[in-house]
Amino acid sequence: EGTLRDLVASGACLAKTRDSSGHSVLWHLVAWGHLRLALFILDTFPFGQEGSSSAMEEHPARRDTLLHLLCRASPFTAEAAEVLRRVLAAAGAQAVLARNAAGETFLDVAVAAANLWVL
């Protein structure tokens, strides 16, 4: 956690920084369940601001969005709910309607995961 904070403070890491697979720092934090750090990144680089990632980032092959990833979070914590709220606020209706390669919206994923917080 300290290393990421140090990299952000030095300007060496932005929310939109991507790896060779095209995933942003925010994507990886959400995908690996580091939601407290995801909130730190969103506090530091709010959507729409310099250095921010996209609220509509999607996996190139699976076409999952951040919302799809968040609905699979287990356990679904207050931090997950806050990240979800911020992504929804920034992405709007486009995010609600987005379907992954399996044809699922994030709500379909929430139902399959029995994620009652989202539902």
Side-chain angles (χ1 to χ4, degrees):
E1 183 172 327
T3 302
L4 179 61
R5 290 178 184 272
D6 291 344
L7 288 169
V8 168
S10 74
C13 179
L14 306 172
K16 69 178 183 179
T17 301
R18 294 184 181 269
D19 66 9
S20 61
S21 297
H23 299 304
S24 71
V25 170
L26 180 62
W27 179 277
H28 282 294
L29 292 172
V30 170
W32 292 100
H34 300 290
L35 299 171
R36 187 169 31 137
L37 283 172
L39 287 171
F40 162 72
I41 288 293
L42 289 173
D43 288 341
T44 307
F45 304 103
F47 290 120
Q49 302 297 315
E50 182 68 30
S52 69
S53 61
S54 169
M56 284 304 299
E57 181 174 352
E58 78 176 29
H59 187 278
R62 292 191 317 266
R63 294 189 14 232
D64 283 336
T65 65
L66 289 167
L67 295 175
H68 289 91
L69 291 182
L70 286 160
C71 288
R72 292 184 184 105
S74 181
F76 193 84
T77 61
E79 288 90 1
E82 179 59 19
V83 174
L84 183 98
R85 185 191 69 75
R86 293 186 196 191
V87 172
L88 275 171
Q94 181 182 2
V96 174
L97 301 174
R99 293 186 179 273
N100 63 16
E104 303 165 316
T105 68
F106 82 97
L107 291 173
D108 294 321
V109 172
V111 168
N115 189 328
L116 301 180
W117 274 60
V118 175
L119 300 173

